[in-house]
Amino acid sequence: MTEANTVEPTEFSFDAESDAMIAKHLAKYPAGKQASGVLPLLDIAQRQMKRVTGSAWIPRVAMDEIARRLDMAPIRVYEVATFYLMFNTKPVGTWHLQLCTTTPCWLRGSDDVVAACRKVTGIQGWGETSADGQFTMSEVECVGACVNAPILQVNDDFYEDMDASSTVELLEALRAGTQPPVGSAKGRQNSAPEGGPETLTTLQFPTTSAGE
Amino acid sequence: MAKVTVNGIEVEVPNGSAVIQACEAAGIEIPRFCYHERLSVAGNCRMCLVEIEKAPPKPFASCAYPVADGMVVHTDSPMVRKARRGVMEFLLINHPLDCPICDQGGECDLQDQAVGYGGDHTRYEENKRAVKDKDLGPLVKTVMTRCIHCTRCIRFATEVAGVPDLGATGRGETMEVGTYVERALGSELSGNLIDLCPVGALTSKPYAFTARPWELKNTDSVDVLDAVGANIRIDTRGAEVLRILPRLNEDVNEEWLGDKSRFAVDGLRRRRLDKPWVRRDGKLHPASWDEAFAAIAAKLKGKEGDRIGAIAGDLCDAESLLALKDLMGALGSVNLDCRQYGEKLDGSRRDFYLFNSGIAGIEDADAILIIGSNPRHEAPVLNARIRKRYVAANIPIAVIGAAADLTYRAEHLGDSPAVLKALLNGAHPFAEVLKTAQKPMIIVGQGALRRVDGEAVLDGAWTLAAQSGALGAEWHGFNVLHTAAARVGALDLGFLPGTGPGVGGKGVAGMMGGGVDVLWLLGADEFDTSRIGTNTFVVYQGHHGDAGAARADVILPGAAYTEKNGTYVNTEGRVQRGALAIFPPGDAREDWTILRAFSAVVGKTLPYDTLEALRSRLEKVNPVFARVGFLPRFPCADLTGPGVAVPARSPGAMSDAAFVDAVANYYETDPISRASPTMAECTVTYAPTAKLAAE
């Protein structure tokens, strides 16, 4: 993590790309109720920070700008931004590792995934960023993909069915600057059973061409 | 109306009431932390759980559950008690057991209710949560580990004070109440957070570790540091005033109090005049009462009444004003004035100088025009009432004067009387708003009257009120907002230059520059004392060594408002009694007794020896003084304005100079607040520019 990234910027303004998205979202709300758009705007701000600085986070000046745009008190924006774990109010690394340690993932071995992450990145505590600024590790609650547990979410993407070795492999690839395809590390299709279908195997479907 | 049975007691409450209100109507107290009748319902502390028959079998939060006709409520069933014990156990999990070192101890809701619902031991063995304290400025001290997240402070700041600085950031275990970006609370009502906080998370910073509530003697009184006349409770121990708290009065201050009125108490202990002083050879020397009186009597000897004058200050009680007026009358002088800023108040009719709609009347108004005033600084509690009306009905509010954040949306029409002229011509669109309103209010501040053309502005405002239909049998919409607690009382007593055939009393301006030989200042510190003629003999009677005392030739030490039984009339004309909480320091005496004693020295003994006798004289001079505490509404019977038939006073004589607010720095407006270190700290924090301007 470079020193410049940890410092709170002194100003923030939405760029043209963000402005286009903001207009789209605010059109959903009736006049006077535009404060309802605070969540999309926070997300847009975080994505703009990712685009511009490489670190997906929302500085305070961005929250102030959102408050100004939506005509609400800045503290109301701070409250929302700090409530949701998806919004980072401190800078994060290029790859934000969000590790689910809730019961299903834990039962399926999330402890191994966490240990592998620590070993590769050298990060000790939750919410910390590695010395090279590449990785930030966060502990998250259930991300809603228990059937493919354990889950390692990297930025917006889910890596599923993780274990220690696949985690090391993934992190090495990320460090090298390539992002492997998302999905199951065991190669299963979505959340289908491992090793192919186990039920309804006797059903026969006529091929479409034969029917005509 | 809904019939509700609470513990077998049948009560009728309006539809839409909460169950907790029905319980209160039945006289049953429900424990609560987050619920407050003047704030929105949060329903998050869960302490007010009750059982409701024929409803799902679970405890209900009575503050957030509406009543229904025929509802049967139990507030003391085994289920309710068990549920409340559970809530209390959870609240205490993260609450430190530091009551012995907590300032809230003895007046803490959590402490009291833990006696009723707390367990005898804890089952919790984990680490307790600790939260970093926040710096909310020089008035409110925080110990955030004690916070139970009731959110009363957040709701008060957002809803009542209109300064949304506080919020709850984070969530769950990491939720914290604070400002997120560290800064001082930007409200003149921030002291009320201390009263609202049910635990010791927000306590008074200046009062920290000073006293326990059971050591204090409580005296009910009224505040004099602005003209609202907020009802207060003075807490004393021994010969010291330790703190001032608001007292409930729905018609005046509800249960709020401005920060200056609450925290300027330490000014009562500093720079006090505690013995008479006499100037000899250019220096003030301590003296006895007899020496001081003799020095004044010697100067008065043989003086024509016309060469003697008196100016009354901002904090005087009506008793001493009347005694001084009577003394001056006995000496043959009609040179009296209470308008030390040169404000052009017209004392000829009572509704020319009163806040006629009443403070509670603000809640009926449907359009408000504020001229030359910043009510947020001149009367914060009254401003909260305007905000309350604004929040309830979103009424149009407009301001002519310096642009400022008044905590509600107010249209800034301009900063000079030119706008007032346009409103009078009907050229300005807001004139139509006032006309269509049923109960328009026009509020004239002291900033609009402390000008050369103050009379014209006063008359212009009156004429506008008359044109807008604000003056009628049902509604009196012409309002003068005062900043001095003594002013209305002085005007009621006619403490003004005497007029009449062959009589022309001198006002403040006339008494300056040698206009009189002997000048009696009754707590008058707010005018430039260098304007007094060098040969004028100045008597200063008051309680603080401020501007007036510095210029004085004789100083007579008087009593501050906490040290005398005084009568004050607030800006709406409500007569209220302040009470003696402690005795004046040293040789200082209650002010009317000083004047009474002096009158005997010059052989013009005033005809009252007791406070009762003086008060019956007050009632004779003006019958309004017989009506203590309540305020009848007066319709406006006579539309004639203050400046009728006087061309110099006609609205056309208004200049185009911008209005300047009467209060530049809310925290230092009078001798008491100027002597207060706490107020000095607030000035540095909140009004650094005002401080620079003063220096």
Side-chain angles (χ1 to χ4, degrees):
Chain A
M1 171 127 309
T2 58
E3 192 54 38
N5 265 358
T6 62
V7 181
E8 186 83 18
T10 53
E11 56 183 8
F12 178 91
S13 57
F14 285 108
D15 58 20
E17 189 179 341
S18 298
D19 270 332
M21 279 192 280
I22 290 171
K24 201 178 109 205
H25 280 288
L26 290 190
K28 294 180 202 165
Y29 307 106
K33 306 282 183 192
Q34 72 280 5
S36 302
V38 64
L39 280 172
L41 259 70
L42 282 166
D43 185 58
I44 291 166
Q46 182 158 307
R47 283 177 197 286
Q48 177 177 325
M49 285 300 286
K50 176 78 179 168
R51 270 202 313 279
V52 176
T53 69
S55 174
W57 70 295
I58 308 169
R60 187 174 62 79
V61 281
M63 293 190 259
D64 291 342
E65 169 66 11
I66 291 168
R68 195 187 62 76
R69 288 225 181 185
L70 303 181
D71 192 23
M72 58 201 288
I75 185 75
R76 300 281 96 86
V77 183
Y78 307 154
E79 283 179 324
V80 173
T82 54
F83 182 89
Y84 291 101
L85 299 178
M86 296 79 172
F87 297 128
N88 306 311
T89 49
K90 285 198 205 97
V92 294
T94 313
W95 308 107
H96 186 197
L97 310 177
Q98 296 147 80
L99 292 126
C100 177
T101 54
T102 316
T103 316
C105 280
W106 175 72
L107 283 169
R108 299 284 295 154
S110 66
D111 283 354
D112 296 342
V113 179
V114 173
C117 284
R118 292 205 196 290
K119 203 171 144 206
V120 175
T121 63
I123 297 171
Q124 292 310 308
W126 291 119
E128 289 176 13
T129 302
S130 61
D132 58 3
Q134 288 264 36
F135 300 104
T136 299
M137 274 174 70
S138 298
E139 184 178 39
V140 297
E141 300 306 321
C142 183
V143 293
C146 312
V147 72
N148 290 16
I151 303 293
L152 168 55
Q153 186 184 344
V154 177
N155 295 347
D156 289 339
D157 302 314
F158 282 12
Y159 291 90
E160 301 155 356
D161 297 327
M162 302 303 284
D163 57 19
S165 64
S166 58
T167 303
V168 172
E169 216 170 284
L170 170 66
L171 295 189
E172 295 297 352
L174 292 175
R175 180 174 280 162
T178 56
Q179 189 168 7
V182 300
S184 171
K186 291 176 181 163
R188 62 169 158 158
Q189 183 188 3
N190 298 334
S191 48
E194 280 177 40
E198 287 171 2
T199 56
L200 308 179
T201 47
T202 54
L203 277 181
Q204 299 292 323
F205 296 101
T207 58
T208 44
S209 57
E212 286 173 1
Chain B
M1 301 291 273
K3 263 205 184 76
V4 182
T5 311
V6 184
N7 292 358
I9 306 165
E10 203 168 89
V11 289
E12 273 202 49
V13 290
N15 289 327
S17 303
V19 173
I20 198 169
Q21 288 167 320
C23 295
E24 279 185 350
I28 292 155
E29 201 181 321
I30 304 291
R32 87 284 301 267
F33 296 112
C34 71
Y35 176 77
H36 192 278
E37 54 265 45
R38 280 175 224 282
L39 304 174
S40 63
V41 172
N44 56 7
C45 78
R46 315 309 288 182
M47 196 62 206
C48 64
L49 296 171
V50 296
E51 188 177 354
I52 298 172
E53 273 183 24
K54 297 199 182 88
K58 60 161 191 167
F60 288 89
S62 58
C63 71
Y65 199 75
V67 292
D69 201 27
M71 188 180 261
V72 181
V73 180
H74 297 283
T75 68
D76 203 23
S77 64
M79 185 238 253
V80 168
R81 260 178 276 159
K82 189 164 178 238
R84 288 186 189 161
R85 279 197 201 110
V87 170
M88 178 57 74
E89 184 171 10
F90 271 102
L91 285 173
L92 291 178
I93 276 181
N94 277 325
H95 191 81
L97 292 174
D98 62 353
C99 300
I101 56 151
C102 175
D103 261 332
Q104 192 84 352
E107 48 188 0
C108 174
D109 289 356
L110 188 62
Q111 204 176 33
D112 293 349
Q113 288 169 33
V115 172
Y117 298 98
D120 57 350
H121 69 289
T122 178
R123 293 188 285 175
Y124 185 73
E125 291 174 350
E126 317 296 318
N127 288 329
K128 286 196 177 219
R129 179 183 115 104
V131 182
K132 221 178 133 201
D133 293 341
K134 312 284 185 291
D135 184 2
L136 298 183
L139 300 178
V140 181
K141 180 188 164 188
T142 63
V143 183
M144 295 316 287
T145 304
R146 296 180 188 145
C147 177
I148 58 167
H149 298 168
C150 72
T151 70
R152 272 188 192 178
C153 52
I154 300 173
R155 284 175 284 144
F156 174 84
T158 309
E159 294 161 13
V160 179
V163 180
D165 282 351
L166 281 172
T169 53
R171 65 159 158 185
E173 182 88 349
T174 59
M175 173 173 155
E176 288 186 20
V177 172
T179 50
Y180 190 69
V181 185
E182 194 124 295
R183 63 163 154 192
L185 290 171
S187 172
E188 294 72 30
L189 293 166
S190 64
N192 296 297
L193 296 174
I194 297 163
D195 294 342
L196 283 170
C197 184
V199 297
L202 305 178
T203 53
S204 169
K205 205 174 251 184
Y207 175 73
F209 309 126
T210 303
R212 286 294 187 194
W214 55 84
E215 303 173 315
L216 303 171
K217 190 185 89 169
N218 310 329
T219 310
D220 287 352
S221 190
V222 292
D223 173 51
V224 302
L225 301 187
D226 59 31
V228 172
N231 288 209
I232 54 169
R233 195 184 92 191
I234 304 170
D235 282 2
T236 55
R237 185 179 58 186
E240 260 190 314
V241 177
L242 293 184
R243 65 172 178 179
I244 286 175
L245 298 178
R247 190 156 53 89
L248 186 73
N249 187 333
E250 292 292 348
D251 293 330
V252 181
N253 57 317
E254 297 181 275
E255 59 187 85
W256 317 126
L257 189 61
D259 284 350
K260 176 173 55 183
S261 306
R262 183 191 296 260
F263 291 110
V265 288
D266 50 357
L268 290 168
R269 298 194 283 271
R270 287 172 174 79
R271 292 198 217 157
R272 287 305 300 270
L273 301 171
D274 58 358
K275 51 178 166 289
W277 297 75
V278 177
R279 194 180 291 276
R280 282 191 294 267
D281 312 324
K283 276 191 91 172
L284 285 166
H285 295 277
S288 70
W289 278 105
D290 290 338
E291 288 164 1
F293 282 167
I296 307 169
K299 279 283 168 191
L300 283 175
K301 202 159 190 181
K303 284 274 181 313
E304 288 289 313
D306 184 45
R307 302 301 301 164
I308 307 168
I311 300 174
D314 287 358
L315 310 177
C316 310
D317 53 312
E319 285 84 353
S320 62
L321 287 164
L322 181 60
L324 181 56
K325 190 186 177 197
D326 285 347
L327 175 65
M328 286 294 142
L331 293 169
S333 168
V334 287
N335 300 330
L336 302 169
D337 210 342
C338 61
R339 302 165 301 183
Q340 46 173 338
Y341 304 89
E343 58 268 50
K344 305 291 190 297
L345 288 163
D346 188 327
S348 62
R349 228 171 79 190
R350 207 163 184 244
D351 54 352
F352 289 163
Y353 59 83
L354 287 189
F355 198 92
N356 293 297
S357 307
I359 294 169
I362 293 170
E363 292 188 40
D364 298 326
D366 52 4
I368 299 178
L369 173 66
I370 300 168
I371 303 171
S373 173
N374 179 340
R376 182 174 173 183
H377 289 156
E378 291 165 27
V381 172
L382 186 143
N383 196 52
R385 196 71 84 118
I386 300 178
R387 180 176 157 81
K388 187 179 179 189
R389 180 61 183 157
Y390 165 77
V391 170
N394 196 15
I395 57 168
I397 301 172
V399 178
I400 307 175
D405 175 11
L406 297 179
T407 70
Y408 38 83
R409 202 182 62 234
E411 196 187 339
H412 186 236
L413 303 182
D415 58 5
S416 78
V419 186
L420 186 53
K421 275 186 209 162
L423 283 165
L424 284 165
N425 300 338
H428 198 287
F430 200 78
E432 201 49 43
V433 176
L434 288 173
K435 249 188 208 120
T436 47
Q438 297 300 307
K439 293 183 168 178
M441 276 181 84
I442 291 170
I443 300 175
V444 185
Q446 298 302 301
L449 305 177
R450 289 179 193 173
R451 306 155 47 99
V452 185
D453 60 348
E455 281 162 335
V457 176
L458 184 72
D459 195 45
W462 178 279
T463 311
L464 180 63
Q467 282 179 11
S468 310
L471 312 177
E474 295 294 314
W475 176 254
H476 198 318
F478 178 77
N479 298 289
V480 176
L481 178 58
H482 289 270
T483 54
R487 198 70 78 247
V488 175
L491 292 166
D492 280 344
L493 293 170
F495 204 97
L496 292 167
T499 53
V503 183
K506 291 170 185 158
V508 170
M511 288 185 256
M512 297 294 115
V516 289
D517 294 333
V518 178
L519 181 58
W520 194 296
L521 303 179
L522 183 63
D525 293 292
E526 310 302 330
F527 63 97
D528 182 5
T529 50
S530 66
R531 286 160 60 210
I532 302 172
T534 42
N535 292 326
T536 304
F537 184 81
V538 178
V539 178
Y540 180 81
Q541 179 184 349
H543 41 79
H544 273 75
D546 208 87
R551 169 61 185 85
D553 295 295
V554 172
I555 294 173
L556 305 176
Y561 71 108
T562 49
E563 297 151 8
K564 60 184 165 193
N565 292 303
T567 304
Y568 302 93
V569 190
N570 80 351
T571 190
E572 49 175 355
R574 186 186 303 270
V575 178
Q576 301 189 105
R577 291 257 155 90
L580 179 145
I582 56 168
F583 288 98
D587 287 341
R589 294 290 179 267
E590 287 194 53
D591 291 274
W592 77 268
T593 61
I594 298 172
L595 291 155
R596 164 67 183 75
F598 179 71
S599 69
V601 172
V602 287
K604 312 270 186 191
T605 310
L606 295 172
Y608 23 80
D609 294 334
T610 61
L611 192 62
E612 286 66 37
L614 176 51
R615 283 185 174 165
S616 64
R617 164 110 179 103
L618 269 181
E619 287 168 29
K620 262 192 216 106
V621 172
N622 193 336
V624 298
F625 286 99
R627 229 176 28 224
V628 174
F630 73 100
L631 183 77
R633 287 284 175 86
F634 297 103
C636 184
D638 182 1
L639 294 191
T640 319
V644 68
V646 184
R649 293 185 182 180
S650 78
M654 289 189 285
S655 79
D656 281 344
F659 290 119
V660 179
D661 284 338
V663 173
N665 172 14
Y666 166 68
Y667 296 98
E668 292 184 343
T669 55
D670 50 79
I672 298 174
S673 55
R674 278 192 293 268
S676 156
T678 308
M679 291 295 103
E681 212 177 317
C682 287
T683 302
V684 171
T685 310
Y686 297 108
T689 49
K691 185 79 185 168
L692 283 176
E695 275 164 3

